[in-house]
Amino acid sequence: MKDRRKRKGIVSWSAFFWSTLLLAFSCILFTTLAFSPFSTFHDFSHSIKWENTLRTNFHATITIRETVLLPDQALLFLNYPSSFRFHAKRDLLCLYFSAHSTHMLTQPPIQLHFTRFREQIVRCALPPRGNTVSLLIKSEGALPTKDSSTHKWTPLVYEALFDRDNTTIVFVKGLNLRPEKLVEPSRFQCIYGWDFVKPKFFLKSDVMSVAQEVIRCKTPKSILTGQDRPQSPTQAQAQAQSIKVSIQMKGKEIFPSVARPGLRPPDSTSKQKAHEMCICTMLRNQARFMKEWVMYHSKIGVQRWFIYDNNSDDDLENVISFLRSVGYNISHHLWPWVKSQEAGFAHCALRARASCEWVGFIDVDEFFHVKEKEGLHSVIWHHAKLENNVGEIRTPCYSFGPSGLREMPREGVTVGYTCRLRVRERHKSIVRPEALNQSLINVVHHFHLRSPFVFVDVESSVMIINHYKYQVWKVFKEKFYRRVATYVADWKEEQNVRSKDRAPGLGTKAVEPKDWANRFCEVKDMGLRNWVLRNFLDRRTRLLPWQPQFEHHLRRKRWRRKEEKPFFFVYPIPLAMVDAITQTQRVYTVVLKEASAERGPTRPPPTNPSHNVKRKVAPTVGEGATQKKGKAITQPAPQPSAPQPSACQPYPAPCPLIHVRAQSGGHLDRS
């Protein structure tokens, strides 16, 4: 009995062997099925991952990151997921609502702008008092505003960028500092982080310089290390999008901020800059002058343009797109910040430094009038190349008046306005970005330079700036809306009324004086007008390339080539001579000297007399020529009679055009 009880707890060797073998076989079978491409387990896990991806994409949505309330409009910063497409203006509506009412208002946005980091800025009208502004996507619904923050315009840290010397440039509104004065930097601190409400989520760094609205900070090493670490473009973009920077005055609260410095600029190893001469400008609703301004300065040597758009709502984007399509190198940068031209110029100087040797800071109504044949490059070479420590070239300005006009000149400002004041006004500058002071101080288009760089003045006999400041009243009254400069009083303010920045004797009200068209006319200056007509006027159409009719002419010309219209000549003919031209069955040439039409061959003669054409001719006895069937005899083409110069005025009144068509029953068309 005792032996039986002991054997009940003992397993035989054969049972143990077969159990172990069965367990090993089961493990092998399970592993094979689990990792097989035909296994149902893999399909199930894959379906779970796919379902989670669908849920993630479904919940991902466009968000309103922040809202800034400017004095006249609201800026809404939209953040797009990587898989979403950008919406167009027609897809969105500005939505206004109140927490205490169910009534909602909608209005089309003023304008849309695309920025870095898959962001879009939507400009809406200011919300009514007590209301909140949001956005409504027509196809999806209203965007949530729960996690977004709304900031007033001042105080606010509105822009920031990393500089190449491991510093951060921060642009701040609300410091109220004096112009051209440095401030003790120890009073400030720079704050980096993701959430400025919780102290454990941000870093502090020292300030190196403070002046006007620009603060230069030391970038924390952890942020520099994070950007230097190898990572994919998506990861770098996500990191740059998340880090914000702000400032704090000691003993006070942190400034609200919408500034994200982005990525560090790449180090340039090439000493030779891509462009010798660039131009930077800040504008608002100046699209109608852009073509003339860009085309003219390209002719005298400018190679690239930086356009800082200060909340334009005209056709500026389409004009810039057209200029780009025909080969002009233009960068369009949104700068919506009110009365911050000096900060914008500092920002532009840093952007242009990598590719431009020299940068001119002028407005769209200002034109360099170079009186040397070689253009701007010759002026720069004579004033700067001989001395390497020249960092700024200052050019005086002449202010032009309406010149007796009451409507905008259709030929453009350089041809239309020819009367100016006698006394020269403030200068504008061409700056070498490498020579700028660390503080980036600039006032009235000139910068402070670092040692040992100096500035030089250009003589008016070499180069001058034509400033078309006092144009026709329809254009000039737009200056009363708001000035872009920080330290220049608006036209409506009762401050510095006698300043040179004001119109003499005008006052602070946008009321047109009776004699406005004849004001500011002391000297008749036709220099730039004559140069423009010599170099830009199309002798056939009597048009300038920036006139709208010129573009229409080119379109018609292309269309006629495609449609294979009958061949015709177009000559400018004075109206007094039209009646003297006789109509014949076939008219091919118009001789202006005799004012009569001559009969010609069935085809018009070639324009190049020296070109030999092949045509079939009948042999004559006098020539003794022979011709075989199917062969052509080479014979010089007859000399066409050259048209005489037009007797009408060269400009601004263009001559009427008479189209003389080569067709049966020829007739004359006036156009």
Side-chain angles (χ1 to χ4, degrees), residues 82-355:
S82 58
S83 59
F84 279 56
R85 66 173 182 86
F86 285 105
H87 286 291
K89 183 179 178 180
R90 62 179 179 273
D91 301 329
L92 303 175
L93 287 174
C94 298
L95 179 65
Y96 305 94
F97 62 92
S98 173
H100 306 288
S101 175
T102 58
H103 183 65
M104 293 186 294
L105 301 175
T106 59
Q107 185 177 345
I110 300 174
Q111 194 59 271
L112 270 69
H113 303 274
F114 300 98
T115 60
R116 57 187 180 181
F117 308 143
R118 291 196 60 79
E119 290 181 351
Q120 192 177 46
I121 296 180
V122 183
R123 292 163 46 203
C124 295
L126 283 175
R129 180 174 295 182
N131 281 253
T132 303
V133 59
S134 181
L135 284 175
L136 174 69
I137 302 177
K138 295 180 181 179
S139 60
E140 300 178 15
L143 296 180
T145 58
K146 179 180 178 181
D147 298 329
S148 65
S149 55
T150 301
H151 308 288
K152 294 183 179 180
W153 167 227
T154 180
L156 182 70
V157 178
Y158 55 89
E159 282 283 352
L161 56 85
F162 291 123
D163 202 0
R164 62 187 181 185
D165 59 350
N166 296 336
T167 61
T168 307
I169 311 300
V170 184
F171 300 91
V172 188
K173 202 72 177 178
L175 295 176
N176 300 323
L177 303 179
R178 297 178 62 186
E180 298 189 88
K181 299 293 183 182
L182 289 171
V183 179
E184 177 58 41
S186 60
R187 296 167 47 192
F188 300 86
Q189 279 186 324
C190 286
I191 312 295
Y192 297 80
W194 296 265
D195 187 0
F196 294 146
V197 178
K198 301 177 181 179
K200 63 180 180 180
F201 289 115
F202 62 71
L203 302 171
K204 293 184 178 182
S205 69
D206 295 332
V207 174
M208 301 177 63
S209 66
V210 180
Q212 299 181 168
E213 293 185 356
V214 182
I215 296 180
R216 184 182 290 269
C217 312
K218 291 183 179 179
T219 308
K221 291 183 178 180
S222 58
I223 294 179
L224 295 175
T225 305
Q227 294 219 353
D228 293 336
R229 186 184 303 119
Q231 52 187 340
S232 65
T234 305
Q235 293 174 340
Q237 176 180 335
Q239 179 183 2
Q241 187 175 359
S242 60
I243 298 176
K244 295 171 64 175
V245 61
S246 183
I247 65 154
Q248 182 181 22
M249 299 180 68
K250 291 187 176 180
K252 297 185 179 181
E253 296 182 355
I254 300 175
F255 274 49
S257 174
V258 296
R260 287 170 166 79
L263 299 174
R264 292 176 60 194
D267 296 332
S268 178
T269 57
S270 176
K271 295 183 179 180
Q272 184 69 26
K273 302 293 181 66
H275 310 292
E276 177 74 15
M277 180 64 192
C278 306
I279 281 184
C280 179
T281 190
M282 185 175 293
L283 54 83
R284 179 185 177 274
N285 291 344
Q286 301 291 314
R288 57 185 179 272
F289 305 119
M290 277 294 296
K291 288 184 181 179
E292 178 183 9
W293 188 72
V294 170
M295 291 179 181
Y296 169 79
H297 284 99
S298 174
K299 188 76 171 179
I300 64 174
V302 177
Q303 299 163 306
R304 186 175 179 183
W305 293 260
F306 295 87
I307 309 299
Y308 275 56
D309 181 5
N310 192 224
N311 295 329
S312 297
D313 51 20
D314 57 359
D315 200 32
L316 179 64
E317 291 188 357
N318 291 332
V319 172
I320 291 178
S321 298
F322 168 78
L323 292 171
R324 285 173 175 169
S325 67
V326 295
Y328 295 100
N329 190 350
I330 302 178
S331 299
H332 182 201
H333 183 82
L334 176 65
W335 189 264
W337 318 116
V338 177
K339 292 189 72 66
S340 58
Q341 185 183 51
E342 293 83 354
F345 280 174
H347 190 277
C348 183
L350 294 176
R351 289 184 61 207
R353 183 179 55 190
S355 59

